[in-house]
Amino acid sequence: MKLNRRNFLKASALTGLFAAGATQTKPVLNAFSTKAQASEENKPQGEWIASVCQGCTAWCAVQIYRIDGRATKVRGNPNAKANHGHSCVRSHIGLQQVYDPDRVKQPMKRTNPKKGRDEDPKFVPISWEEAMDTIADKIIELRENNETHKFSVWRGRYTALNGILYGAMPKIIGSPNNVSHSSICAESEKFGRYYTERYWGYADYDHENTYYEIFWGGDPISSNRQVPHTASIWGDLKSRAKLACIDPRFSTTAAKSDEWLPVIPGEDGALATAIAHVLLTEELWYKPFVGDFKDGVNRFEVGKTVNEDDFEEIQTHGVVKWWNLALKDATPEWASERAGIPAEQIYRVARDFGRAAPKCISFSSPGSSMVVRGGYTAMAQAALNGLVGSADNEGGVICGGESCPVNDFPEFESYIDSIAEQGNSMERIDHGGRLEFPALKDSKSGGVKLTNTVADAILNQDPYDLKVVLSYWTNFNFSNQGTERWDEALAKIPFMVHMTVNPAEQTHFADIVLPVPHSMFERLSPVRGSNGNLHTHLHMQNKVIESPFDIKVDETEIPWMIGEALEKKGFSNLIDYFRNEFADPETGKSPENEEEFNEIATKMYTQPLWDLSYEKEGDKINGWEELKEIGTWNSIPYRFRQKWDGNWGTETGQFEFYSETLKAALQEHADKHNATIDEVMEAAMQTERGEMAFVPHYEPAYRVGDDEKDKYPFIFSEHRSKLNREARSANTSWYQEFKDVDPGDEAWDDVVKINPKDAKELRIQNGDNVKLTTPTGTITVKAKLWEGTRPGVVSKCYGQGHWAYGHIASLDRKKQIARGGNNNTILAPVHEAMSGSGARHGGQTRVRVEKV
């Protein structure tokens, strides 16, 4: 059948909301034309349209080739300086996602009032009008009962327009409960940078001028931020610099590095402090940045304390305190016993790193710090950049960037009435800021909004229950550790709206399902990404194609329509805010419908970039239409050493090894609970007390199941796939067919990688079905005997295990038979409490492996 718009709709409609489950392991594919070649005169003519890939947090600018209204090809946007005009494989997989016949095609509602994984929701189609009317009824009911705090917006991935649905809407309705996915993304590594140089965000790296890089638990040419940029310059980097990869798995980056240090998961902090010890004892710190002993004689000797008055610092604060408290005994021999890395290799890496100063990089990533107690590990990794003078320096690490001038959305406080004000004053649902969860973003107690605690809050009604939830770009009962808790919690929510592209595991528990655009192809939105290649940037998602489905934009159009429905029921504050405060910057016209609102909000936010009357340093773009056409705005390259000479923003104004900034934040959190800082450390599951709380230090790995080593003899460690669009790729054949590009993995399968020495003792052969059991849960996958994971550790990629999402992601959607296992089913729902980060990388969970 020719795949035109009409036939595509017809074929898609036959699948309903959920496609029938595939009973075969590998679907039959027919990807090639029966014609040998196309004639030149029939060759289709197309055009490149700018957009943004949000397959990971790089958020790269791309261009999409459109022929006869269809998206056919993806490439990097040549105007984008952050990614050199390159894109990675994730962007190409988006093509299969947008034309996935398993997508949600129209609004649906649940007709079975019972909720549970074993319950058929019995979804039926409804109109957008009915959906909005139902949602408005539920919100009005909360307002009438003074329960607006029991309304919540859950945010997954997002664009720069999120301030409307996620920011303004819950506050105008009257709820403090806008819950983000961010704490399950990367907050712990941000913690390390913030409490050394006061920057909460993703770092940028001057790869093109560095001479040594240490990659902490990251795989930057596969699955970390800036993948297209890093991969495109890797050859030059490899020819110029030495590279060390610290990872329990032999990743792609490890395979291409000079040193692989297969650390015991969760023990990276021992390595970081030992490297710092060597830099100081062997006089390899960068003196023009850190300073020196007044008489020039190095007094950093193993086991000996140093008089602080003997050392004169320049750009830093507390190096001698740090030494005395945490480093003087942290020798490579000491670290070797804890981290499982030979002392001689630790010495070698530390010496080579120090000799490259200041053009060297300590590259932090979630793999090493998103574990219980990982915040101090991240601090130690960040502190290394201070010791070698690479912080905010050429060839080093950039925390911040040049300005990206955009407008804030209009203030909405005047639209908050007394009912909403009372609701907004209630305690948040996520427990952030409680004694045991400091979650210290921006020095604020509870600054990070915890995600995975929400399931516990719902189950225990602590501090209360939720009654109405609007959730978008989320799949929380798949993407959070302890998935069964989430299934139970979602079943308890009386009314949930899931705005989603594909029917996911979370959709199964929804009362209303709303189809939304695929971000790369079907929406107009600005995306302000993290810095890359020394450039700050903003990219534009354009509406490249007319969707064959009945979709609305989640962050703008749906809130507008809810506002209109609320107005009909007597509450006009939300729609009044949209109508009165938003206006087209060019014409002054206020929006009259949801489509106009989406465009006007985008124009208002981006006006400083396309309006030449605004002064800025960066690309000169002449008008709104030109911004959409070019698809990206780039700042000037970063100017190094802007923070030097007292401009770090910390409590001392210096780069802090002894963090007065963290000390003040912890004291404020302790005072809030009438507690001491030692009591905070204990509640947050940290082992050290006293002044150790204020310096980067080693915290021994915490492991669930550690008290039953005979029962759970292995450490479970997970990693990400270079093909994985945040677990959203699994319903594409390209993801499954090429899954083996990840070292040790297999196409169309889900494997746990076991060192052959361990497999021999377990009498497990390659390809055997094995059961992985932790104190949290059990999954069944295939065994892969592989030397690329260290003995005592089993390693598994994240992304498989969907029992929903479509006929490729699961083996049988109707019977809920997953393809492989979801790591989060067996990962313990614990946290890195200091930062509020979820502990998602597995080093905290022990596992038993049994042949099935």
Side-chain angles (χ1 to χ4, degrees):
M1 181 172 69
K2 183 179 179 182
L3 191 57
N4 56 29
R5 174 180 165 86
R6 176 177 296 176
N7 287 334
F8 183 75
L9 281 168
K10 183 178 179 181
S12 299
L14 294 175
T15 67
L17 174 65
F18 297 122
T23 56
Q24 53 188 337
T25 301
K26 185 174 181 180
V28 176
L29 305 178
N30 182 15
F32 299 97
S33 170
T34 56
K35 294 183 178 181
Q37 60 185 26
S39 61
E40 198 61 35
E41 58 269 22
N42 292 328
K43 185 177 180 180
Q45 297 298 313
E47 57 182 334
W48 289 102
I49 310 295
S51 193
V52 186
C53 173
Q54 290 188 270
C56 75
T57 50
W59 293 358
C60 293
V62 297
Q63 291 181 332
I64 297 163
Y65 198 58
R66 183 176 66 192
I67 300 175
D68 295 333
R70 285 182 58 83
T72 63
K73 189 186 300 185
V74 179
R75 72 181 183 188
N77 189 332
N79 300 305
K81 296 177 181 177
N83 54 315
H84 301 282
H86 295 282
S87 65
C88 79
V89 66
R90 290 182 184 85
S91 63
H92 303 286
I93 289 177
L95 288 166
Q96 285 199 326
Q97 290 178 310
V98 71
Y99 292 119
D100 185 349
D102 291 332
R103 283 182 59 175
V104 181
K105 301 164 181 64
Q106 63 188 90
M108 310 288 285
K109 74 175 180 180
R110 182 186 204 92
T111 59
N112 179 6
K114 296 181 180 179
K115 292 185 179 182
R117 176 155 174 182
D118 296 332
E119 293 289 342
D120 182 355
K122 297 183 180 179
F123 288 112
V124 298
I126 58 172
S127 65
W128 278 99
E129 290 73 19
E130 181 181 349
M132 297 300 104
D133 186 68
T134 304
I135 295 168
D137 278 341
K138 299 297 182 181
I139 294 173
I140 292 296
E141 184 178 341
L142 292 180
R143 288 182 55 81
E144 290 175 345
N145 295 326
N146 288 316
E147 292 184 314
T148 57
H149 57 287
K150 296 185 178 183
F151 171 80
S152 186
V153 172
W154 294 355
R155 178 187 75 175
R157 187 56 59 221
Y158 54 90
T159 76
L161 300 178
N162 78 93
I164 295 167
L165 171 59
Y166 177 76
M169 183 173 171
K171 296 297 187 294
I172 291 173
I173 289 172
S175 175
N177 292 316
N178 48 350
V179 177
S180 175
H181 82 295
S182 297
S183 73
I184 60 173
C185 187
E187 303 308 83
S188 59
E189 65 171 278
K190 298 175 186 176
F191 179 92
R193 289 187 279 268
Y194 187 87
Y195 292 106
T196 50
E197 56 177 295
R198 202 158 193 162
Y199 171 72
W200 193 279
Y202 298 134
D204 192 9
Y205 304 95
D206 188 12
H207 296 299
E208 295 183 325
N209 292 294
T210 196
Y211 294 133
Y212 201 103
E213 294 204 36
I214 301 176
F215 301 106
W216 295 95
D219 193 7
I221 54 177
S222 295
S223 61
N224 209 278
R225 282 167 288 284
Q226 306 176 19
V227 174
H229 164 53
T230 310
S232 67
I233 66 167
W234 191 266
D236 174 67
L237 176 65
K238 187 77 175 69
S239 66
R240 170 176 25 84
K242 281 190 174 183
L243 310 172
C245 184
I246 300 173
D247 197 318
R249 176 184 70 103
F250 192 62
S251 64
T252 303
T253 297
K256 298 178 181 295
S257 294
D258 300 279
E259 303 269 3
W260 175 41
L261 292 79
V263 64
I264 297 172
E267 299 289 354
D268 303 71
L271 291 179
T273 51
I275 290 171
H277 173 97
V278 174
L279 292 175
L280 292 175
T281 57
E282 301 196 7
E283 209 166 344
L284 293 172
W285 73 88
Y286 189 62
K287 295 179 181 179
F289 183 82
V290 180
D292 198 3
F293 288 97
K294 294 175 181 178
D295 60 3
V297 178
N298 184 17
R299 290 175 173 78
F300 293 126
E301 299 180 24
V302 177
K304 294 184 178 180
T305 58
V306 174
N307 188 335
E308 292 179 39
D309 293 334
D310 291 341
F311 197 99
E312 186 172 1
E313 293 183 81
I314 301 175
Q315 302 290 345
T316 66
H317 171 77
V319 65
V320 175
K321 283 186 177 180
W322 184 29
W323 166 265
N324 290 338
L325 287 166
L327 299 183
K328 62 184 177 62
D329 298 313
T331 65
E333 291 78 10
W334 165 89
S336 180
E337 295 178 3
R338 289 152 181 79
I341 302 299
E344 57 269 23
Q345 188 176 26
I346 301 173
Y347 276 112
R348 184 170 64 246
V349 169
R351 288 163 178 163
D352 288 347
F353 183 70
R355 289 166 185 153
K359 294 189 175 184
C360 45
I361 291 170
S362 174
F363 187 120
S364 296
S365 60
S368 61
S369 59
M370 287 191 74
V371 295
V372 178
R373 303 171 181 156
Y376 286 105
T377 296
M379 278 188 74
Q381 294 165 359
L384 291 177
N385 292 310
L387 278 183
V388 295
S390 66
D392 198 37
N393 204 356
E394 184 178 0
V397 180
I398 311 306
C399 292
E402 298 297 333
S403 172
C404 179
V406 292
N407 285 325
D408 293 329
F409 287 119
E411 297 292 335
F412 52 79
E413 281 71 18
S414 61
Y415 296 90
I416 296 176
D417 62 14
S418 59
I419 295 175
E421 188 174 10
Q422 179 181 347
N424 287 327
S425 68
M426 299 292 286
E427 181 184 354
R428 289 195 336 236
I429 193 76
D430 66 285
H431 300 172
R434 290 190 176 184
L435 178 66
E436 67 273 23
F437 291 122
L440 296 173
K441 178 182 179 180
D442 297 337
S443 293
K444 180 182 177 182
S445 172
V448 170
K449 297 181 178 181
L450 284 74
T451 310
N452 205 10
T453 52
V454 173
D456 302 313
I458 294 170
L459 290 172
N460 300 322
Q461 296 189 4
D462 176 21
Y464 43 77
D465 55 342
L466 290 179
K467 290 188 174 180
V468 178
V469 172
L470 270 60
S471 190
Y472 77 104
W473 222 332
T474 55
N475 195 16
F476 281 168
N477 58 328
F478 184 90
S479 58
N480 281 284
Q481 312 105 268
T483 56
E484 290 186 7
R485 298 159 43 256
W486 275 95
D487 287 348
E488 295 174 16
L490 294 176
K492 287 189 65 175
I493 298 173
F495 184 77
M496 181 176 71
V497 179
H498 197 207
M499 295 170 268
T500 183
V501 175
N502 274 59
E505 283 73 17
Q506 189 176 330
T507 314
H508 190 79
F509 298 87
D511 296 274
I512 287 187
V513 185
L514 299 179
V516 296
H518 189 287
S519 59
M520 276 179 66
F521 305 94
E522 299 173 326
R523 68 188 294 163
L524 173 67
S525 295
V527 176
R528 187 178 175 183
S530 55
N531 305 326
N533 189 27
L534 306 184
H535 290 273
T536 303
H537 52 83
L538 180 141
H539 308 316
M540 288 295 300
Q541 288 173 339
N542 279 300
K543 194 174 182 180
V544 178
I545 64 170
E546 290 293 333
S547 177
F549 308 125
D550 188 11
I551 60 174
K552 297 290 183 181
V553 178
D554 39 34
E555 292 177 329
T556 51
E557 294 181 352
I558 291 176
W560 175 280
M561 295 167 70
I562 292 174
E564 287 183 322
L566 287 169
E567 181 183 37
K568 293 177 183 177
K569 300 179 186 299
F571 178 67
S572 65
N573 295 36
L574 185 63
I575 195 66
D576 287 346
Y577 168 63
F578 297 154
R579 288 172 178 157
N580 298 340
E581 304 298 334
F582 287 77
D584 190 311
E586 293 181 301
T587 67
K589 181 180 181 294
S590 297
E592 296 181 1
N593 55 54
E594 64 268 22
E595 291 89 355
E596 289 183 2
F597 179 55
N598 181 79
E599 182 173 13
I600 287 172
T602 304
K603 291 177 73 173
M604 289 175 64
Y605 182 82
T606 59
Q607 184 182 5
L609 303 180
W610 53 263
D611 187 335
L612 292 177
S613 67
Y614 284 78
E615 292 186 8
K616 52 190 168 291
E617 293 182 304
D619 293 348
K620 305 301 179 185
I621 296 176
N622 188 13
W624 164 244
E625 294 299 327
E626 186 168 289
L627 175 63
K628 289 195 296 180
E629 180 182 355
I630 294 173
T632 184
W633 179 89
N634 306 279
S635 73
I636 62 172
Y638 184 74
R639 292 167 289 195
F640 298 106
R641 296 177 289 281
Q642 294 183 38
K643 295 183 175 183
W644 290 32
D645 300 325
N647 297 314
W648 294 91
T650 58
E651 289 289 318
T652 62
Q654 304 289 78
F655 186 102
E656 292 185 344
F657 297 121
Y658 181 94
S659 183
E660 299 285 355
T661 306
L662 179 55
K663 185 177 184 177
L666 281 170
Q667 189 63 60
E668 180 181 337
H669 179 72
D671 291 344
K672 174 181 172 182
H673 296 282
N674 295 315
T676 65
I677 291 177
D678 279 355
E679 288 171 332
V680 172
M681 294 289 282
E682 181 177 5
M685 299 174 65
Q686 310 298 309
T687 63
E688 294 290 353
R689 302 291 181 266
E691 288 198 302
M692 286 286 277
F694 317 133
V695 296
H697 65 264
Y698 167 70
E699 286 277 348
Y702 173 91
R703 307 202 197 280
V704 176
D706 217 7
D707 55 343
E708 301 180 83
K709 289 184 180 179
D710 292 336
K711 190 173 182 181
Y712 305 108
F714 297 96
I715 301 171
F716 181 82
S717 177
E718 77 158 25
H719 63 92
R720 296 306 198 241
S721 167
K722 65 184 68 177
L723 303 177
N724 197 348
R725 292 174 61 89
E726 299 182 323
R728 300 183 180 97
S729 304
N731 205 48
T732 69
S733 59
W734 289 345
Y735 171 82
Q736 301 291 351
E737 183 69 24
F738 300 109
K739 187 71 180 63
D740 54 0
V741 299
D742 295 310
D745 279 9
E746 298 288 339
W748 293 97
D749 216 334
D750 194 19
V751 299
V752 59
K753 294 172 278 291
I754 307 171
N755 190 282
K757 294 180 179 179
D758 294 327
K760 185 177 181 180
E761 291 185 13
L762 295 170
R763 299 182 179 179
I764 289 174
Q765 301 292 321
N766 207 47
D768 284 348
N769 287 325
V770 293
K771 184 167 63 174
L772 306 181
T773 303
T774 72
T776 304
T778 298
I779 59 176
T780 299
V781 294
K782 284 188 178 178
K784 176 67 178 290
L785 275 59
W786 191 55
E787 296 86 351
T789 188
R790 64 171 293 137
V793 177
V794 297
S795 177
K796 183 177 172 298
C797 189
Y798 170 74
Q800 298 278 45
H802 283 285
W803 51 268
Y805 225 77
H807 74 285
I808 294 177
S810 55
L811 292 178
D812 193 319
R813 171 62 187 87
K814 283 189 172 181
K815 296 180 181 179
Q816 298 185 354
I817 300 174
R819 184 184 297 280
N822 180 6
N823 295 356
N824 284 320
T825 300
I826 61 174
L827 285 176
V830 289
H831 292 78
E832 201 298 300
M834 303 300 284
S835 66
S837 173
R840 67 169 163 89
H841 272 287
Q844 75 284 339
T845 305
R846 284 193 171 273
V847 63
R848 181 171 68 252
V849 183
E850 300 169 285
K851 183 176 179 179
V852 177

